[in-house]
Amino acid sequence: MIHVSSYSCGKWTDTGKESELYSAVNGKPVAVFQESELDYAAMCRYAKEVGGPKIRELTIHERAFKIKFLAQHLLKQKEKYYNISTHTGATRRDSWIDIEGGILTAFGISSQARRNLSDLPWHVEGPEVTLSRKGTFTGQHICVPRPGVSVQINAFNFPVWGMLEKLAPAFIAGLPSIIKPSPTGSYLACSVFRDIISSGILPEGSVQFIAADVPGDLFDHLTSQDMVAFTGSAATGRKLKAHPSIIANSVHFNLEADSLNCSILGEDVSPNMEEFDLFIREVANEMTVKTGQKCTAIRRTIVPEHLLDDVISALRIRLENSPPGDPSQKETRMGPLASPEQAKRFEEQCQQLQEVTESVYAGAAINGAFTGAKLLVCHKPIETDTVHRVEAFGPLTTIMPYKTTEEAIAIANKADGSLAGSLFTNDDEIAKKIVMACAPYHGRFMVINRQSAGESTGHGAPIASLVHGGPGRAGGGEELGGYRAVLHNMQRVALQGSPTTLRNITAQHIKGAGTEEASVHPFKKYFEELRVGEALTTEKRTVTDKDVKDFAHLTGDHFYAHTDPDAAARSMFGKIVAHGYFVLSATAGLFVYPYEGPVLLNYGLEDLRFTAPVFPGDTIQAKLIVKRKTRRQKRETDKDPYGMVWFAVEVTNQENVLVAEYTILTLVKRKEKLDIDR
Amino acid sequence: MIHVSSYSCGKWTDTGKESELYSAVNGKPVAVFQESELDYAAMCRYAKEVGGPKIRELTIHERAFKIKFLAQHLLKQKEKYYNISTHTGATRRDSWIDIEGGILTAFGISSQARRNLSDLPWHVEGPEVTLSRKGTFTGQHICVPRPGVSVQINAFNFPVWGMLEKLAPAFIAGLPSIIKPSPTGSYLACSVFRDIISSGILPEGSVQFIAADVPGDLFDHLTSQDMVAFTGSAATGRKLKAHPSIIANSVHFNLEADSLNCSILGEDVSPNMEEFDLFIREVANEMTVKTGQKCTAIRRTIVPEHLLDDVISALRIRLENSPPGDPSQKETRMGPLASPEQAKRFEEQCQQLQEVTESVYAGAAINGAFTGAKLLVCHKPIETDTVHRVEAFGPLTTIMPYKTTEEAIAIANKADGSLAGSLFTNDDEIAKKIVMACAPYHGRFMVINRQSAGESTGHGAPIASLVHGGPGRAGGGEELGGYRAVLHNMQRVALQGSPTTLRNITAQHIKGAGTEEASVHPFKKYFEELRVGEALTTEKRTVTDKDVKDFAHLTGDHFYAHTDPDAAARSMFGKIVAHGYFVLSATAGLFVYPYEGPVLLNYGLEDLRFTAPVFPGDTIQAKLIVKRKTRRQKRETDKDPYGMVWFAVEVTNQENVLVAEYTILTLVKRKEKLDIDR
């Protein structure tokens, strides 16, 4: 028997009302659910006083590495979770989405954060904003961690994914988490949570766990610095979003509600086309995966009127091959619903829908939580509101015929906001029309044809690197989306001041900030030795006619502005100019240190602008400034650990006019391994 | 007498209850305010059916140009607005912030949108997201206009700025607007609005105007596709944010509430330092500009305890020189409050504050709305909640002494969320400490020292290119921020599909999308003739030892990996590699069309990555693909109109391995002038 209890203020609770949680498969007790009286004010305080400060000492990258190590740690124990997950009614495939899908999401957010965000406790966002003519007053957006707590309320259907997809970005942003799973399936969430605690990877106070049906007065203690991330029913979500504390303190509330997602079969598709089979497979799949208990499942199947019978027949065949069964058996394609209560609720929702639809298939229900898949047809989907409003949270879809693409769009958008939509078509004109009309009502929209189907991740799968969340009925929230997942948990603030002050505050070079001339060539320094703001001013070089000719000859770039005096005279510069790429290459010649040293290579370049022409006879000079640094994870194949250093390069002419500016990206050896390189 | 009435469904209303609006200066009637019975459902319908479709036919850039032309049109009539503005109690300087500040904000948002967003009806946001190994299934975020309406509720203090800073980004995003100003000062808003309508610049249905105290049942008609942007008191804002329609439909609600902003004098500053004078000037200025009726004004003045007397004396002197007076007179530095009602409310708020503070200066009140500036001191600011909660909306600040920097931070953050904070210090260590601790509680934070003061835009000024809005008490909203201002009004959606389908939908090249080989060299084509997805595959070139040696010699780049066989053998590549800049330059040699043509110049380069080494003996080949296009406004000085074309460049070796990829930015002549080039 698994013991589900709360982890509050760094301790597991060991008193409280106990109840049993039952297996969805055999109805036998799986776990004891111990609901303690929790001091929610103390939990918030503990998170803010113990966890927050420890997390915020770390840089965003250090936090992201911890999430990566945590994901690695959990992955090793996945078979344990698979075994437990079976009791929730999940087949191996269902559990994969929850368990490995959740762990992969944590990996994904970690890697996206390290790729896109600053290796500092805060993120320096975007370029500086020029606010003055002489450049003595500048703006810079930064995103900072809040000294608050992230309250995460998860739905029953994805105990692991739901927990990790919220915890990972909150932690990387610098926030401690208080996690409240749904009691249903909480034994799986709690098992994973116990491993998070026992791993010791996250600092003390980073996470707490609530074993309770309703989280008492927790919301009364929330402040302007806190966050709520809620996944669950639209009704509960809306109620919480309007909670007096949330409104009074402008608490950031992210709502992901179940929605009536649709999939559309394009009017170009005929039953003998690949896209028809792909569509049928996807709809049947979305109906049966997790026994249809997914907030992204296809509830509304929108098809050309003349294909209605074909679609019904094809779906029937597929569903007949997916009767509900024991999820631990390999051949089972669909398990039971999460509990007999869920089965009862599903039946009630079906009845509401059946009043306005025709039932064209109903798989046999067995007993308890085992329910058969159901197909309904709504013949007048434009006129019938119920089918766009009532969600039956189980293996059911309502088929809706349409006459024209315009009608298909109108039907799709009638749900007034969905997490995900999809379209199966081999005609990109139809795709464009439908996608652009449906996009404002969707958080994600997938178009499948024979080219993309093979590698498609599917209608129902939220992807760590794409935003998840939809407007209207779906709650109006936005989570995931790569590094955005982290920024959603931070406060964006516009800083203003002198460039030097902003550089000193943000720890990133700002254009115009005072620099310090390096006494040793920066390319001779190890990663740790390079300081932001350190600069190298190069020697000067006068560009000659011969340089330009030689460069044209060597590179084959004979563009008239560089080679033909008559044509150049007619150009916007009025005479021969040097190649921009020559200026770039000659500048590298000016700043490069030619001998072996810690700088391994220049692997890229950003934001290059040629700001003024360089004419033969002009003398150029460059300044190389350490702009930002990022430690990089040691890869298995590297002999040495290294870091990434961005250098700002400013090239000027003899009149001190800027002729080019850009940032070069270099790999630089580290002297020492990092603690985080384990 | 100005006539203030509603502009609903394309018509000015001409019936309804009439009342008079009085001058804040002389109490005489200025305008007739006609409050009609409005059919709010019809207004929403009209916006969505007439305005929305017309606006969304335009590209983001075309909408931005219209806003620019509108701003130019209004600027020509500014003297008329200045004359009217005097009646609101505003001095010339006060009116400048509202009138020219508002018009400049519209210009700024327009230019930021054109610089950063797609020249399409939607915005293609960020790079594509790789979702599959073979690249047949890809993701792309886009931001699309919603088929809804933007409801804009503005405060009385900035009738012009408030209207334009919301209207401009909503329109550029593709939304029609329904504007409801505060009745106080509505005669100025209405005068500008009349000029917007009569200019004919915006399409029919783009804007409507509500002359009413409370906007009836308007909120009951809002849907998931609508937006509300509210500026005003925290109490009203919170009430509206929790409106049942807003919650039920997840209506996007942006709340900017007045907040108790602070300015801090650093503990390093002594009275003989420049920063002391700068601080005093800023506090006095923020107290008296707009007679302190600014949601960003400095309500809390946080100073080192030992400087308390110096600060009081210095502020007194300044305030004595700013008695309230006739705002139309040049010498007047502070006008009256907006109305006798506002003066009464201000007095009540002062009384609440005076109960817990010491009054150290009170300028003489004259009569009506003319009130003197007031200085209070709160000796125990940590223990006293009232001073962080009660906002007196007039020329008042409460001085709060602190002992340590930690205490200053605690005091600053006690207001629990502010629009703007500032700090005067000449010590960047202190700046870093205070800014990083205060940032989570602020939407904007300014640090002033002797370097930045001269060009500073001031504590109180929201800047079009920086985000405006603050957490907690300030409402948790975010507006402005350059192109972000526009995106706040759009729906972000993650598209998934084959790269070719995504390219066909978004009208921007996506990595991996099928391309069409151009029959004519792209550099021979005019802007209008170039199609997204059109490609040029170049000849091949084998890189020789001599090429590398010659390039090193010509550029001076003798980095050992390119020149020293022994050292190169020890490098990560194991042998001599060609310079990355040679690959870049030789690629230009391969793709360039050398003769005069419509492509004027390559002015920049983005996202360059050297993805694999090129060794002598390798053969490179490039593919140039039209990625995106942006029409650019003709500048006065250009002989010809032109556009910007982004080309994606992919360089491969003889084994078809990608060795470099990047985007080049080119200026290309247009065949014809645009309609929008007036």
Side-chain angles (χ1 to χ4, degrees):
Chain A
M1 292 276 276
I2 302 167
H3 190 76
V4 181
S5 57
S6 294
Y7 186 77
S8 151
C9 302
K11 289 194 194 82
W12 287 99
T13 57
D14 52 9
T15 56
K17 198 183 64 163
E18 296 196 344
S19 54
E20 286 182 328
L21 298 174
Y22 305 97
S23 166
V25 184
N26 57 26
K28 291 187 187 147
V30 184
V32 172
F33 187 80
Q34 186 183 63
E35 190 162 350
S36 308
E37 296 269 319
L38 293 172
D39 181 344
Y40 289 105
M43 286 177 77
C44 290
R45 233 173 14 244
Y46 174 78
K48 291 179 194 186
E49 290 173 5
V50 179
K54 287 209 182 72
I55 303 172
R56 294 196 301 276
E57 271 174 16
L58 305 172
T59 71
I60 291 175
H61 287 223
E62 286 165 348
R63 294 173 211 145
F65 275 119
K66 284 195 182 287
I67 290 296
K68 179 183 171 176
F69 302 140
L70 184 66
Q72 287 169 334
H73 177 76
L74 298 177
L75 195 59
K76 284 184 201 139
Q77 298 167 75
K78 67 177 183 180
E79 289 306 327
K80 178 170 77 182
Y81 309 140
Y82 273 109
N83 287 335
I84 298 170
S85 180
T86 305
H87 293 299
T88 69
T91 63
R92 178 95 192 174
R93 181 179 67 155
D94 295 345
S95 296
W96 187 93
I97 301 172
D98 185 34
I99 297 164
E100 296 192 55
I103 293 171
L104 283 176
T105 298
F107 275 122
I109 298 295
S110 168
S111 106
Q112 289 269 334
R114 284 178 281 128
R115 189 178 300 226
N116 294 289
L117 305 178
S118 304
D119 189 8
L120 296 167
W122 48 85
H123 173 58
V124 184
E125 193 189 37
E128 60 279 310
V129 178
T130 306
L131 299 175
S132 61
R133 273 171 208 270
K134 292 187 214 148
T136 63
F137 186 70
T138 295
Q140 176 67 58
H141 289 105
I142 61 170
C143 297
V144 295
R146 299 193 179 103
V149 59
S150 164
V151 171
Q152 297 156 16
I153 302 183
N154 296 319
F156 74 84
N157 49 349
F158 291 105
V160 185
W161 181 85
M163 183 162 68
L164 293 178
E165 66 107 20
K166 292 193 177 74
L167 168 60
F171 181 83
I172 297 173
L175 279 173
S177 295
I178 295 179
I179 299 163
K180 197 209 102 48
S182 165
T184 311
S186 62
Y187 45 90
L188 177 52
C190 192
S191 299
V192 175
F193 186 86
R194 280 183 193 276
D195 290 337
I196 293 176
I197 294 297
S198 66
S199 76
I201 292 169
L202 304 187
E204 191 193 343
S206 297
V207 286
Q208 297 178 78
F209 190 86
I210 297 175
D213 196 18
V214 175
D217 65 355
L218 172 58
F219 273 49
D220 295 340
H221 304 292
L222 297 182
T223 72
S224 70
Q225 296 298 311
D226 301 325
M227 295 271 309
V228 177
F230 173 91
T231 302
S233 79
T236 309
R238 288 171 188 165
K239 206 176 100 188
L240 290 176
K241 195 177 173 183
H243 186 286
S245 283
I246 301 293
I247 296 293
N249 301 312
S250 306
V251 177
H252 293 260
F253 192 98
N254 197 71
L255 171 52
E256 297 300 330
D258 43 20
S259 58
L260 286 122
N261 314 288
C262 70
S263 188
I264 304 172
L265 183 63
E267 63 177 339
D268 60 306
V269 180
S270 60
N272 59 356
M273 281 167 68
E274 270 184 69
E275 283 75 15
F276 185 88
D277 296 330
L278 293 167
F279 176 73
I280 296 296
R281 201 186 308 166
E282 191 79 6
V283 172
N285 192 42
E286 285 291 316
M287 290 176 70
T288 53
V289 167
K290 286 292 286 185
T291 322
Q293 299 165 106
K294 278 189 352 192
C295 50
T296 53
I298 300 171
R299 306 289 173 206
R300 303 179 303 138
T301 299
I302 303 171
V303 304
E305 196 174 45
H306 68 277
L307 294 183
L308 182 58
D309 292 340
D310 295 290
V311 168
I312 294 171
S313 311
L315 278 176
R316 264 197 198 131
I317 293 168
R318 287 225 156 233
L319 295 174
E320 276 161 5
N321 288 327
S322 305
D326 181 345
S328 65
Q329 299 302 307
K330 248 195 179 161
E331 66 278 12
T332 302
R333 311 183 93 167
M334 182 170 84
L337 289 168
S339 65
E341 293 74 38
Q342 284 298 326
K344 190 163 163 263
R345 194 172 302 169
F346 175 63
E347 272 309 315
E348 289 163 6
Q349 291 157 340
C350 289
Q351 275 168 25
Q352 276 188 273
L353 291 173
Q354 278 162 356
E355 282 170 23
V356 295
T357 59
E358 178 194 356
S359 173
V360 293
Y361 175 80
I366 303 179
N367 59 41
F370 290 85
T371 184
K374 290 176 201 290
L375 277 184
L376 307 176
V377 175
C378 175
H379 291 282
K380 299 203 161 182
I382 297 278
E383 293 83 359
T384 313
D385 285 342
T386 310
V387 292
H388 306 289
R389 202 169 40 75
V390 173
E391 188 192 22
F393 209 64
L396 176 146
T397 198
T398 303
I399 305 173
M400 306 178 179
Y402 71 84
K403 287 194 183 67
T404 61
T405 291
E406 287 68 26
E407 211 174 271
I409 291 165
I411 297 168
N413 293 346
K414 274 213 78 170
D416 204 25
S418 296
L419 292 169
S422 57
L423 168 66
F424 289 71
T425 177
N426 197 36
D427 182 332
D428 284 352
E429 282 300 311
I430 289 181
K432 177 157 195 163
K433 194 166 174 184
I434 291 183
V435 168
M436 282 307 171
C438 289
Y441 292 87
H442 289 82
R444 185 163 57 79
F445 207 94
M446 180 179 84
V447 182
I448 294 296
N449 58 20
R450 57 198 74 181
Q451 281 80 42
S452 55
E455 293 196 299
S456 158
T457 49
H459 167 101
I463 300 291
S465 51
L466 298 177
V467 294
H468 176 54
R473 161 78 187 234
E478 192 182 287
E479 57 184 26
L480 296 182
Y483 67 93
R484 278 189 193 85
V486 177
L487 298 186
H488 291 142
N489 289 274
M490 303 182 91
Q491 173 69 36
R492 175 174 293 123
V493 52
L495 301 185
Q496 294 172 292
S498 81
T500 302
T501 296
L502 293 186
R503 193 266 319 280
N504 291 340
I505 292 173
T506 62
Q508 179 170 315
H509 175 67
I510 305 274
K511 202 194 284 187
T515 55
E516 197 188 325
E517 195 65 18
S519 53
V520 174
H521 192 292
F523 285 15
K524 290 165 85 172
K525 290 189 174 183
Y526 282 92
F527 180 82
E528 292 88 339
E529 295 166 337
L530 287 164
R531 276 163 302 114
V532 165
E534 178 167 5
L536 171 78
T537 304
T538 69
E539 300 293 308
K540 297 175 182 179
R541 171 172 183 166
T542 300
V543 177
T544 65
D545 281 323
K546 183 169 184 302
D547 286 336
V548 178
K549 283 192 183 115
D550 287 351
F551 192 79
H553 180 71
L554 177 55
T555 63
D557 181 347
H558 299 286
F559 192 59
Y560 69 91
H562 314 305
T563 56
D564 178 344
D566 295 337
R570 290 187 293 269
S571 78
M572 62 202 296
F573 301 121
K575 55 178 172 169
I576 293 275
V577 292
H579 300 72
Y581 296 127
F582 174 73
V583 173
L584 198 63
S585 305
T587 297
L590 287 170
F591 68 64
V592 83
Y593 170 77
Y595 308 110
E596 285 171 88
V599 171
L600 298 174
L601 79 153
N602 167 6
Y603 68 93
L605 191 148
E606 293 286 355
D607 303 326
L608 167 65
R609 290 294 179 280
F610 297 116
T611 48
V614 174
F615 300 107
D618 282 354
T619 299
I620 59 169
Q621 182 176 31
K623 191 168 176 182
L624 190 71
I625 306 161
V626 178
K627 182 173 177 182
R628 53 179 290 222
K629 296 165 65 182
T630 298
R631 289 163 297 175
R632 196 169 151 155
Q633 191 201 10
K634 184 176 172 294
R635 291 187 304 199
E636 306 290 334
T637 50
D638 296 333
K639 267 198 317 202
D640 306 288
Y642 51 89
M644 289 151 72
V645 180
W646 279 250
F647 287 93
V649 185
E650 297 170 359
V651 190
T652 46
N653 66 15
Q654 66 282 357
E655 278 152 11
N656 211 25
V657 170
L658 191 74
V659 298
E661 59 179 341
Y662 50 100
T663 301
I664 59 168
L665 288 61
T666 64
L667 273 194
V668 182
K669 269 191 200 165
R670 290 205 303 249
K671 261 187 164 165
E672 312 208 352
K673 284 197 176 192
L674 293 173
D675 275 357
I676 50 176
D677 289 332
R678 350 177 173 175
Chain B
M1 292 276 276
I2 301 166
H3 189 74
V4 181
S5 57
S6 296
Y7 187 77
S8 152
C9 302
K11 289 195 193 84
W12 287 101
T13 58
D14 52 9
T15 57
K17 198 183 63 164
E18 296 197 346
S19 54
E20 286 182 328
L21 297 173
Y22 304 97
S23 167
V25 183
N26 56 25
K28 290 187 188 148
V30 184
V32 171
F33 187 80
Q34 185 183 64
E35 189 162 350
S36 308
E37 297 268 321
L38 293 172
D39 182 343
Y40 289 104
M43 287 177 77
C44 290
R45 236 176 8 248
Y46 175 78
K48 292 179 195 187
E49 290 172 6
V50 179
K54 287 209 182 71
I55 302 172
R56 293 197 299 278
E57 270 173 18
L58 306 173
T59 71
I60 291 174
H61 287 223
E62 286 165 349
R63 295 174 211 145
F65 276 118
K66 285 195 181 287
I67 290 297
K68 179 183 170 176
F69 303 139
L70 184 66
Q72 287 170 335
H73 177 76
L74 298 178
L75 194 59
K76 283 185 204 139
Q77 298 166 75
K78 65 179 183 179
E79 289 305 328
K80 177 171 75 181
Y81 308 140
Y82 274 109
N83 288 336
I84 297 171
S85 180
T86 305
H87 293 299
T88 70
T91 63
R92 179 95 191 173
R93 181 178 67 155
D94 296 345
S95 296
W96 186 92
I97 301 172
D98 186 34
I99 296 164
E100 296 193 54
I103 293 171
L104 283 176
T105 298
F107 275 122
I109 297 295
S110 168
S111 106
Q112 289 270 334
R114 285 178 282 127
R115 188 178 301 228
N116 294 288
L117 305 178
S118 304
D119 189 7
L120 295 167
W122 48 85
H123 174 57
V124 184
E125 193 190 35
E128 60 279 311
V129 178
T130 306
L131 298 175
S132 61
R133 273 170 209 272
K134 292 187 214 147
T136 63
F137 186 70
T138 296
Q140 176 67 57
H141 290 106
I142 61 170
C143 296
V144 296
R146 299 193 180 103
V149 60
S150 165
V151 171
Q152 297 156 16
I153 302 182
N154 296 319
F156 73 84
N157 49 349
F158 291 105
V160 185
W161 181 85
M163 182 162 68
L164 293 179
E165 65 109 20
K166 292 192 178 73
L167 168 61
F171 181 83
I172 297 173
L175 280 172
S177 295
I178 295 180
I179 299 162
K180 196 210 104 46
S182 164
T184 311
S186 62
Y187 45 90
L188 177 53
C190 193
S191 299
V192 175
F193 186 86
R194 279 183 193 278
D195 290 336
I196 293 175
I197 294 297
S198 66
S199 77
I201 292 170
L202 305 187
E204 190 193 344
S206 298
V207 286
Q208 297 178 78
F209 189 87
I210 299 175
D213 195 17
V214 174
D217 65 356
L218 172 58
F219 273 48
D220 296 340
H221 304 293
L222 298 183
T223 72
S224 71
Q225 296 298 311
D226 301 325
M227 295 272 309
V228 176
F230 173 92
T231 302
S233 80
T236 309
R238 288 170 188 163
K239 205 176 101 186
L240 290 176
K241 193 178 175 183
H243 187 284
S245 281
I246 300 293
I247 297 291
N249 302 313
S250 306
V251 177
H252 292 260
F253 191 100
N254 196 72
L255 171 51
E256 297 300 330
D258 44 20
S259 57
L260 285 121
N261 314 287
C262 69
S263 189
I264 304 172
L265 184 61
E267 62 178 338
D268 60 304
V269 180
S270 60
N272 59 356
M273 282 167 66
E274 270 184 70
E275 285 75 15
F276 185 88
D277 295 330
L278 293 166
F279 176 74
I280 296 297
R281 200 187 308 165
E282 191 79 5
V283 172
N285 192 41
E286 286 292 316
M287 289 175 71
T288 52
V289 167
K290 285 292 286 183
T291 322
Q293 300 166 106
K294 277 187 355 189
C295 50
T296 53
I298 299 171
R299 305 289 174 206
R300 303 179 304 139
T301 299
I302 303 173
V303 304
E305 196 174 44
H306 69 277
L307 295 182
L308 182 58
D309 291 341
D310 296 290
V311 168
I312 294 172
S313 311
L315 278 176
R316 264 197 197 129
I317 294 168
R318 286 225 156 231
L319 295 174
E320 276 162 5
N321 288 327
S322 303
D326 181 345
S328 65
Q329 299 304 306
K330 247 195 182 161
E331 66 278 13
T332 302
R333 311 183 93 171
M334 183 170 82
L337 289 168
S339 65
E341 294 72 38
Q342 284 298 325
K344 190 162 163 264
R345 195 172 301 170
F346 175 63
E347 273 310 316
E348 289 163 4
Q349 291 156 339
C350 289
Q351 274 167 26
Q352 276 188 271
L353 290 172
Q354 278 164 356
E355 282 170 24
V356 294
T357 58
E358 178 192 356
S359 173
V360 293
Y361 176 80
I366 302 177
N367 59 39
F370 291 86
T371 183
K374 289 175 202 291
L375 275 184
L376 306 176
V377 175
C378 175
H379 291 283
K380 299 204 162 184
I382 296 279
E383 292 83 359
T384 312
D385 285 343
T386 309
V387 292
H388 306 289
R389 203 169 40 75
V390 173
E391 189 192 23
F393 210 65
L396 176 146
T397 198
T398 304
I399 305 173
M400 306 179 181
Y402 71 84
K403 288 193 183 68
T404 61
T405 291
E406 286 69 25
E407 212 175 89
I409 291 166
I411 296 168
N413 293 347
K414 274 212 79 170
D416 204 25
S418 295
L419 292 169
S422 57
L423 167 66
F424 289 72
T425 177
N426 198 35
D427 181 334
D428 283 352
E429 282 300 310
I430 290 179
K432 176 159 194 161
K433 195 167 173 181
I434 291 183
V435 168
M436 281 307 169
C438 289
Y441 293 87
H442 289 82
R444 185 164 56 80
F445 206 94
M446 180 179 84
V447 182
I448 294 296
N449 57 21
R450 58 198 72 179
Q451 280 80 43
S452 55
E455 294 196 298
S456 160
T457 49
H459 167 102
I463 300 292
S465 51
L466 298 178
V467 295
H468 176 54
R473 160 77 188 234
E478 192 183 287
E479 57 185 25
L480 297 181
Y483 67 94
R484 277 190 194 83
V486 178
L487 298 187
H488 291 143
N489 289 275
M490 303 183 92
Q491 173 69 36
R492 174 174 293 124
V493 53
L495 301 185
Q496 294 172 292
S498 80
T500 302
T501 296
L502 294 187
R503 192 266 321 279
N504 290 341
I505 292 172
T506 62
Q508 178 170 316
H509 175 67
I510 306 275
K511 200 194 284 188
T515 55
E516 197 188 326
E517 196 64 19
S519 52
V520 175
H521 192 293
F523 285 14
K524 289 164 87 170
K525 291 189 174 182
Y526 282 92
F527 179 82
E528 292 88 340
E529 296 166 335
L530 287 165
R531 277 162 302 116
V532 166
E534 176 167 9
L536 170 78
T537 304
T538 69
E539 299 295 308
K540 296 175 183 179
R541 171 171 185 168
T542 300
V543 177
T544 64
D545 281 320
K546 182 169 183 301
D547 285 337
V548 178
K549 283 192 184 119
D550 287 351
F551 192 80
H553 179 71
L554 177 55
T555 63
D557 181 346
H558 298 288
F559 192 60
Y560 68 92
H562 313 307
T563 55
D564 178 343
D566 295 337
R570 290 187 293 269
S571 78
M572 61 203 296
F573 300 122
K575 55 178 173 172
I576 294 277
V577 292
H579 300 72
Y581 295 127
F582 174 74
V583 174
L584 198 63
S585 305
T587 298
L590 287 170
F591 69 62
V592 81
Y593 172 76
Y595 308 110
E596 286 170 89
V599 172
L600 298 173
L601 79 153
N602 167 7
Y603 68 94
L605 191 149
E606 291 287 353
D607 303 327
L608 167 64
R609 290 294 179 279
F610 297 116
T611 48
V614 173
F615 300 107
D618 283 354
T619 299
I620 59 169
Q621 183 175 29
K623 193 168 175 182
L624 190 73
I625 306 161
V626 178
K627 183 175 176 181
R628 50 180 291 220
K629 296 165 64 182
T630 298
R631 288 164 296 175
R632 199 170 149 153
Q633 189 200 10
K634 185 176 172 295
R635 292 188 302 200
E636 306 290 333
T637 51
D638 297 333
K639 265 199 318 201
D640 306 288
Y642 50 89
M644 289 150 73
V645 179
W646 280 250
F647 288 94
V649 185
E650 297 170 358
V651 189
T652 46
N653 66 15
Q654 65 281 358
E655 279 151 11
N656 211 25
V657 170
L658 191 75
V659 297
E661 59 179 341
Y662 50 100
T663 302
I664 59 169
L665 287 62
T666 64
L667 272 194
V668 181
K669 269 191 200 166
R670 290 204 302 248
K671 261 187 162 164
E672 313 210 350
K673 284 197 178 193
L674 293 173
D675 274 358
I676 50 178
D677 290 330
R678 356 177 172 173

